[in-house]
Amino acid sequence: MRKFSGWTLLKEAFGGQQGWTPQWRRVAPQPEYDAIIIGGGGHGLAAAYYLASEHGITRTAVLEKGWIGGGNTGRNTTIIRSNYLFDESAALYDHALKLWEGLSQVLNYNVMFSPRGVMMLAHTVHDVQVAKRHIHANRGNGVDNEWLSPEEAKAYCPPLNIERNIRYPVLGAALQRRGGTARHDAVAWGYARAADALGVDIIENCEVTGLVRDGSGAMEAVQTSRGLIRCRRVGVSAAGNTSVVLGLAGVRLPLESFPLQALVSEPVKPVVPCVVMSGSIHAYISQSDKGELVIGAGTDAYTSYTQRGALHVNSHTLSAVCELFPAFRRMRMLRNWGGIVDVTPDRSPIIARTPVPGLYVNCGWGTGGFKATPGSGHLLAWTMARDEPHPINAPFTIERFRDGHLIDEAAAAAVAH
Amino acid sequence: MLLIQCPYCGPRPELEFAYAGQAHVARPADPSATTPDQWTEFLYLRNNTRGIHAERWRHVRGCARFFNALRDTTTDHFLATYRAGEPMPVLPMGQKP
């Protein structure tokens, strides 16, 4: 792996940017691996990287049916935060946030992590009470979060409208200063590059069509569009298509897949200095380094695999954005798109063993998986390498639904589900 | 936005409807004899079909009645809608959920 630094950038600049080479190998699948990750998004690539770097399992392959980072990794709004209510969730998401903080250095690749602060607005008395409960719960768990008055919120985010005469006035906000954004493509590419350097094979255009089990029922091989690959340790990180992939092994999951949409505006000068979210009126907004406003909408009502949704969902979000930020009313939106998110009944993820020995799953991230990318990969790798969960993901099993130990962030996550 | 054929009212825009999840999920007849695994199946496990999906909708801002639909989740195309209590219709191409 070629080590990147300010010096390499300078050298390439003087060389007319002609010296850049592909950052990972294009390889054909080998007949056998020690570990296979199905799904080449950020989560799957991170899992492969940590399998190789922390557990020494370098004979690993990542199988991706399209191109890496082309699913939800390339379709989300790149918001990173860890201000979740329950102890289990706070530990899980803060584990990821701590990995984000050093990720560019660890991968030697600039993932453009920008802890610019995530501000969640409160519009009603109930919102205020919920936000303050979150703040106290977070601080008890060592996660930073603080209460801002409307004036303080406006000082932190000047274009915000705090007039009291709007339909949903801003009564205050909860601010997590360590939260922020990162560059989604760089996360996939950085993990792919670092994993490849450790010997991991990244195989694109390779769709899994079957999961083969031996006489005892354990994982034996993976049937793909590029042939049979033998492997006794398989992790599935397939987001919206997880039900389909695990269905190949006869495993049923408590998941439903919904379209989630996002959109970006034309690029403008820096105007939104932080991430602003409002769970009550289903809007969240930040500004990319290119200058586009990145706006996330809610999910469509029905299950679907189409990677698109209805316009009325976006227009609902935009009407909220226009009221909170009147200055944006005449901005033009350039693109909108959808991704398919897999949602669990309690809105918390699953990182666990499955009933099939040798088959592991990382799924159920719903509308908020990007923020967890390093953490979920780290924990899936641990679970696969040791065949037992890390203490942080031990509560996030499939069996919690049978046993009644739900981690019910459904109302608590304060995001537009 | 989807155009949905309510079996009572005819075609109406999606905004008049509420989605109500997978259809034909029967509540266990004898709750006290039902095992935790069977409860899990009833409460939480879903087909999440990639393809033809049998699902419930409610015409909540119209006649307010529940009905069932067959929809292809890879295209969002409705293949049939039918009243609650009626058997699942046979599709012309013989496709099954």
Side-chain angles (χ1 to χ4, degrees):
Chain A
M1 185 172 87
R2 179 185 177 194
K3 187 111 173 121
F4 288 154
S5 65
W7 170 242
T8 53
L9 287 180
L10 201 63
K11 197 170 144 220
E12 290 301 333
F14 282 116
Q17 311 291 358
Q18 298 300 304
W20 299 106
T21 52
Q23 293 300 308
W24 56 91
R25 297 162 295 136
R26 190 172 293 266
V27 291
Q30 292 172 27
E32 184 168 2
Y33 287 98
D34 290 335
I36 282 179
I37 304 287
I38 299 173
H43 285 228
L45 293 163
Y49 168 73
Y50 291 115
L51 273 172
S53 67
E54 299 210 343
H55 305 283
I57 304 174
T58 55
R59 242 172 38 118
T60 296
V62 178
L63 308 183
E64 165 56 47
K65 78 173 172 183
W67 63 94
I68 62 163
N72 291 351
T73 300
R75 293 165 185 269
N76 68 88
T77 50
T78 74
I79 295 169
I80 295 165
R81 61 186 178 90
S82 64
N83 52 354
Y84 281 72
L85 180 64
F86 292 114
D87 297 352
E88 298 89 341
S89 318
L92 178 68
Y93 290 99
D94 212 49
H95 178 60
L97 183 48
K98 284 172 185 153
L99 289 171
W100 276 115
E101 286 165 350
L103 194 60
S104 293
Q105 286 72 31
V106 168
L107 297 179
N108 181 234
Y109 200 91
N110 188 3
V111 299
M112 297 167 77
F113 174 60
S114 163
R116 57 184 68 180
V118 172
M119 199 163 78
M120 296 173 115
L121 303 177
H123 302 284
T124 62
V125 172
H126 176 72
D127 278 358
V128 172
Q129 290 167 344
V130 168
K132 289 189 173 173
R133 183 181 175 214
H134 269 71
I135 289 167
H136 293 309
N138 288 159
R139 293 171 81 141
N141 277 319
V143 175
D144 75 303
N145 203 349
E146 63 194 85
W147 177 252
L148 302 183
S149 68
E151 292 73 25
E152 289 167 331
K154 187 165 175 67
Y156 198 75
C157 183
L160 183 67
N161 179 11
I162 57 166
E163 296 292 325
R164 298 301 294 259
N165 61 357
I166 61 176
R167 175 68 183 84
Y168 294 102
V170 175
L171 301 186
L175 173 66
Q176 185 181 24
R177 291 181 191 269
R178 285 162 65 229
T181 60
R183 168 119 168 86
H184 50 96
D185 288 332
V187 177
W189 298 338
Y191 272 121
R193 171 175 173 269
D196 177 87
L198 295 170
V200 173
D201 285 353
I202 292 157
I203 302 160
E204 295 175 296
N205 299 311
C206 181
E207 182 174 357
V208 171
T209 54
L211 299 174
V212 184
R213 297 161 70 176
D214 66 12
S216 70
M219 280 306 302
E220 189 177 31
V222 175
Q223 185 70 51
T224 74
S225 57
R226 297 179 68 174
L228 187 79
I229 307 172
R230 298 177 61 78
C231 185
R232 306 196 71 86
R233 188 188 282 137
V234 176
V236 178
S237 206
N241 281 294
T242 305
S243 299
V244 179
V245 176
L246 285 194
L248 299 171
V251 176
R252 279 169 66 76
L253 288 168
L255 292 179
E256 289 190 294
S257 296
F258 293 93
L260 178 67
Q261 297 183 79
L263 58 161
V264 294
S265 73
E266 58 191 328
V268 290
K269 298 264 179 165
V271 59
V272 183
C274 60
V275 180
V276 180
M277 310 181 70
S278 169
S280 300
I281 55 177
H282 287 199
Y284 43 107
I285 186 167
S286 63
Q287 190 170 19
S288 75
D289 293 327
K290 277 193 289 183
E292 300 156 329
L293 299 179
V294 184
I295 297 168
T299 57
D300 280 72
Y302 46 85
T303 62
S304 179
Y305 288 85
T306 55
Q307 294 189 318
R308 61 173 180 258
L311 198 57
H312 66 87
V313 177
N314 292 319
S315 64
H316 175 75
T317 293
L318 286 174
S319 61
V321 167
C322 288
E323 192 164 77
L324 289 174
F325 299 95
F328 299 162
R329 281 188 178 165
R330 296 175 68 184
M331 282 185 71
R332 283 163 292 196
M333 295 297 138
L334 285 193
R335 301 187 301 280
N336 92 302
W337 63 89
I340 301 301
V341 298
D342 46 324
V343 177
T344 57
D346 64 358
R347 302 304 195 269
S348 286
I350 295 168
I351 313 173
R353 294 183 292 193
T354 70
V356 177
L359 183 62
Y360 306 84
V361 68
N362 164 49
C363 66
W365 291 94
T367 59
F370 179 77
K371 66 173 81 71
T373 303
S376 97
H378 185 257
L379 298 170
L380 178 64
W382 175 294
T383 308
M384 288 177 67
R386 306 188 180 214
D387 194 33
E388 63 176 21
H390 187 282
I392 292 175
N393 67 312
F396 294 89
T397 62
I398 304 174
E399 292 77 24
R400 73 174 187 265
F401 296 98
R402 181 194 64 200
D403 300 339
H405 297 297
L406 302 191
I407 304 159
D408 196 4
E409 293 280 353
V415 356
H417 281 294
Chain B
M1 189 179 305
L2 306 177
L3 189 64
I4 302 175
Q5 182 84 24
C6 172
Y8 301 97
C9 311
R12 298 293 178 92
E14 179 195 337
L15 283 179
E16 294 187 11
F17 296 85
Y19 181 71
Q22 186 182 323
H24 307 296
V25 180
R27 187 178 173 82
D30 182 1
S32 52
T34 303
T35 66
D37 284 324
Q38 289 166 329
W39 277 121
T40 310
E41 176 70 33
F42 167 69
L43 288 169
Y44 299 121
L45 301 188
R46 294 293 176 262
N47 295 340
N48 200 18
T49 313
R50 186 186 172 106
I52 297 169
H53 188 231
E55 61 195 17
R56 295 195 311 159
W57 286 82
R58 188 179 181 206
H59 193 188
V60 63
R61 292 174 188 87
C63 64
R65 280 186 277 198
F66 281 94
F67 60 92
N68 294 326
L70 296 177
R71 182 176 55 93
D72 187 339
T73 60
T74 62
T75 60
D76 290 339
H77 177 66
F78 279 89
L79 300 158
T81 56
Y82 52 104
R83 298 180 180 199
E86 290 179 358
M88 196 185 295
V90 178
L91 294 172
M93 304 290 284
Q95 314 99 307
K96 290 206 171 72

